[in-house]
């Protein structure tokens, strides 16, 4: 019996070792695939990371990394250095596009964050604290988050972010978040003071933003000023409306359009402009240029009752 117990324990240890080796192999494979396409970038007032996403030298990073700069310096993983020019910035999505002068490595493979699930392995690659090519790994902790980011002059809400437990530090901002196949599904944003690993997802909405930045240099965006998380609707409401999920408002930016419209914490946001809202990305789809200054009907569930209000998105301004 003792020998059987020892044998079972040994088998369990062997299984753990095999699992760890498999995990390590995935992380190593992703790091090798993604690291060559991630650069360290510096501007006069700071820096971070950036990801090469086209074969002709365009890189994707965070809006807060470039700030108000027009240009900066870039160091690629192979040690090559150069300068870059800022092509466009979108504060609402915290995305920016820059272009290296003199070329860059080939483009990374972009994925689709809409296919992510909670618990999935992800690998972050960036330049935390100036340490280029740093790799951390973790899992997707949550999806569809909204995060308020304040400055001295304004408060904005970055919507539909990926939450991960992969360690992110200053300098990781603008780096890559990749899935186990080495496809970049997010752009990391190490927002100081939040204490969470967050990333802007690569999906249809952000691809539209990137395309607009490439062609026009900026994205005119409206904003409502709410922070929300996906939440199921009560069974009775779901049966009556045919809608299963909504966005629970957990914070409202003071004096923002949502605040002025009478939206409150705890409201379940069902629709904007008569279109169902199930997550933060659903709001983003309705907040491009044509929404600014236009009255939008909004329906929420409050204390068990349907409440209709009218909200007028304001234009998101710079930092």
């Amino acid at each position: 019996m003792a020998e059987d117990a020892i044998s079972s324990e040994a088998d369990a240890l062997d299984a753990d070792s095999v699992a760890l080796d498999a995990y390590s192999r995935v992380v190593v494979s992703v790091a090798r695939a993604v690291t060559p396409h991630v650069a360290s970038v510096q501007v006069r007032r700071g820096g971070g990371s950036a990801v090469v996403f086209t074969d002709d030298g365009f890189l994707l990073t965070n809006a807060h990394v470039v700030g108000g700069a027009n240009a900066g310096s870039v160091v690629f993983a192979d040690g090559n250095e150069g300068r870059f020019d800022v092509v466009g910035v979108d504060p609402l999505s915290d995305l920016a596009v820059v272009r290296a002068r003199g070329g860059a490595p080939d483009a990374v493979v972009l994925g689709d964050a809409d296919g992510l699930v909670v618990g999935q392995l992800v690998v972050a690659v960036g330049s935390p604290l100036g340490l280029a090519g740093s790799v951390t790994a973790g899992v997707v902790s949550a999806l569809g988050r909204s995060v308020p980011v304040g400055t001295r002059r304004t408060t904005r809400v970055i919507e539909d972010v990926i939450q991960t437990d992969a360690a992110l530090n200053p300098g990781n901002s603008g780096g890559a978040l990749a899935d186990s196949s080495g496809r970049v599904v997010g752009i990391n944003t190490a927002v100081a003071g939040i204490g969470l690993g967050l990333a802007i997802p690569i999906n249809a909405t952000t691809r539209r933003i990137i395309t607009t930045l490439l062609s026009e240099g900026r994205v005119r965006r409206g904003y409502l000023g709410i922070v929300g998380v996906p939440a199921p609707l009560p069974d009775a409401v779901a049966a009556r409306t045919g809608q299963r999920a909504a966005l629970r408002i957990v914070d409202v930016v003071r004096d923002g359009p949502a605040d002025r419209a009478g939206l409150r914490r705890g409201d379940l946001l069902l629709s904007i402009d008569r279109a169902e809202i199930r997550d933060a990305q659903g709001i983003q789809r309705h907040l491009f240029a044509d929404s600014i200054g236009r009255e939008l009907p909004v329906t929420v569930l409050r204390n068990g009752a349907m409440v209709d209000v009218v909200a007028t998105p304001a234009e998101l301004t710079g930092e």
Side-chain angles (χ1 to χ4, degrees):
M1 295 293 291
E3 290 179 356
D4 290 341
I6 292 173
S7 177
S8 297
E9 184 177 353
D11 290 342
L13 289 173
D14 287 342
D16 288 343
S17 178
V18 170
L20 178 59
D21 287 345
Y23 174 88
S24 298
R25 285 196 296 269
V26 171
V27 175
V28 169
S29 175
V30 173
R32 286 176 176 169
V34 175
T35 300
H37 311 282
V38 179
S40 175
V41 296
Q42 292 290 323
V43 295
R44 189 174 64 176
R45 295 187 177 180
S49 306
V51 180
V52 182
F53 73 99
T54 74
D55 289 334
D56 53 352
F58 287 95
L59 295 88
L60 194 58
T61 185
N62 288 145
H64 77 264
V65 167
V66 299
N70 295 318
S73 61
V74 59
V75 180
F76 296 103
D78 60 8
N80 286 329
E81 302 180 18
R83 300 284 296 173
F84 70 82
D85 298 302
V86 177
V87 175
V89 178
D90 180 39
L92 182 62
S93 63
D94 198 23
L95 291 175
V97 172
V98 305
R99 189 176 194 182
R101 304 174 187 170
D106 293 340
V108 77
V109 177
L110 295 181
D112 185 357
D114 287 349
L116 292 176
V117 295
V118 173
Q120 181 174 342
L121 171 66
V122 284
V123 178
V125 182
S127 304
L129 307 174
L131 303 173
S134 295
V135 176
T136 61
V139 299
V140 174
S141 303
L143 296 165
R145 296 298 200 205
S146 298
V147 179
V149 181
T151 69
R152 292 180 180 179
R153 294 191 295 171
T154 187
T155 299
R156 72 175 189 271
V157 177
I158 303 175
E159 297 178 341
D160 196 33
V161 300
I162 303 164
Q163 181 183 330
T164 172
D165 65 355
L168 299 180
N169 296 292
N172 268 122
S173 288
L177 186 73
D179 63 15
S180 59
S181 297
R183 297 169 298 198
V184 173
V185 292
I187 300 298
N188 297 318
T189 175
V191 182
I194 297 295
L196 299 173
L198 305 172
I200 311 304
I202 300 296
N203 54 31
T205 300
T206 52
R207 286 175 186 269
R208 177 179 175 184
I209 292 167
I210 294 165
T211 298
T212 304
L213 289 177
L214 285 167
S215 62
E216 301 179 22
R218 74 185 189 109
V219 181
R220 292 190 66 224
R221 302 294 302 265
Y223 87 103
L224 291 175
I226 59 176
V227 179
V229 296
L233 286 173
D235 291 341
V237 177
R240 186 166 77 249
T241 64
Q243 183 174 341
R244 295 290 173 186
L247 192 76
R248 182 178 301 280
I249 298 176
V250 297
D251 200 7
V252 179
V253 176
R254 175 182 271 186
D255 296 327
D259 189 23
R260 292 192 291 270
L263 294 176
R264 306 174 186 171
R265 294 180 184 179
D267 286 348
L268 278 172
L269 180 59
L270 278 73
S271 68
I272 293 178
D273 203 18
R274 299 182 176 83
E276 287 186 6
I277 300 297
R278 302 182 181 187
D279 50 31
Q281 186 181 349
I283 296 178
Q284 279 200 351
R285 295 191 187 104
H286 294 277
L287 293 178
F288 284 93
D290 58 357
S291 73
I292 299 169
R294 183 164 66 90
E295 294 184 344
L296 301 180
V298 177
T299 300
V300 300
L301 183 69
R302 180 182 298 164
N303 299 325
M306 297 286 193
V307 177
D308 294 316
V309 302
V310 175
T312 305
E315 182 169 4
L316 181 74
T317 57
E319 294 290 349

